[in-house]
Every structure is written in structure tokens, then in C-alpha cells.
């Protein structure tokens, strides 16, 4: 998956409900805006929209030298169980040719 990557981030803290620690990793990417028509909902526009992808914690530091500014990267994804669901998770990237 070749996309414009904006950032890689780690969110951590304590859950409000029970005070247990949590940690989440995600990648924010820019995708071309596409029109949507679903029943009473319609959306159209120009340019890019942002989307978040789950990021494997082991891959987080790999993005540090690559993301001094937004750039196009070829993402490597793998299915992983996160919060009880199977999700395609980013595990790394390749430089586009």
C-alpha cells in the first residue's frame, strides 16, 4: 500500500474506567478524497482526507528517521489481533522505487 504518511504516534496513559495503563500505536496517512453517497448522506470534495491505521509497537521506532516530514512510503501490513478484532496492522515500510 503506497501512501503519503503524515505521522507515526504512540498514545499511552491510564484508563479512566479502571486506572490500568494502556498503550496504542497508529499511523496517520493522507488519502485522495473520494465522493460518498449512502442513503441520506452525501459527501464530495477535493484534495486529501486523513485516515488512521493500526501500527505494530515494534515498528514504531522504524518511522523516526523516515518521518522528518510527510512522505510517500510503501507500507507493509500483516493481520494481527488488536482489542479482540483481526485488523491489518502496519509492521514496517519500504522506500518507493
Amino acid at each position: 500500500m503506497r501512501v503519503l504518511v503524515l505521522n507515526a504516534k504512540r498514545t499511552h496513559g491510564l484508563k479512566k474506567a479502571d486506572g490500568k495503563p494502556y498503550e496504542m500505536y497508529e499511523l496517520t496517512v493522507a488519502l485522495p478524497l473520494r465522493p460518498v453517497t449512502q442513503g441520506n448522506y452525501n459527501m464530495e470534495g477535493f484534495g486529501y482526507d486523513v485516515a488512521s491505521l493500526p501500527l505494530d509497537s515494534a515498528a514504531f521506532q522504524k518511522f523516526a528517521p523516515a518521518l522528518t516530514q510527510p512522505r510517500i512510503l510503501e507500507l507493509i501490513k500483516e493481520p494481527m489481533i488488536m482489542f479482540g478484532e483481526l485488523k491489518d496492522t502496519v509492521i514496517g515500510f519500504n522506500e518507493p522505487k
Side-chain angles (χ1 to χ4, degrees):
M1 173 182 208
R2 190 174 179 172
V3 295
L4 177 62
V5 179
L6 303 176
N7 66 52
K9 62 184 172 184
R10 171 184 174 237
T11 307
H12 59 97
L14 299 175
K15 295 178 187 176
K16 288 181 184 179
D18 58 14
K20 291 182 181 178
Y22 72 89
E23 204 172 43
M24 294 181 354
Y25 294 84
E26 65 183 5
L27 205 62
T28 306
V29 300
L31 300 172
L33 194 64
R34 295 187 181 164
V36 175
T37 302
Q38 292 179 334
N40 291 331
Y41 175 78
N42 299 288
M43 186 271 302
E44 56 190 53
F46 309 97
Y48 289 79
D49 208 349
V50 295
S52 293
L53 299 171
L55 177 63
D56 184 37
S57 60
F60 179 67
Q61 287 300 324
K62 295 176 187 177
F63 285 89
L67 285 178
T68 57
Q69 61 185 8
R71 61 190 294 199
I72 294 176
L73 296 172
E74 184 75 33
L75 300 181
I76 302 167
K77 298 187 298 178
E78 185 175 283
M80 298 178 111
I81 296 175
M82 299 188 101
F83 306 108
E85 295 181 22
L86 188 63
K87 294 185 177 189
D88 274 345
T89 303
V90 177
I91 59 167
F93 64 91
N94 290 318
E95 300 286 338
K97 297 177 183 180

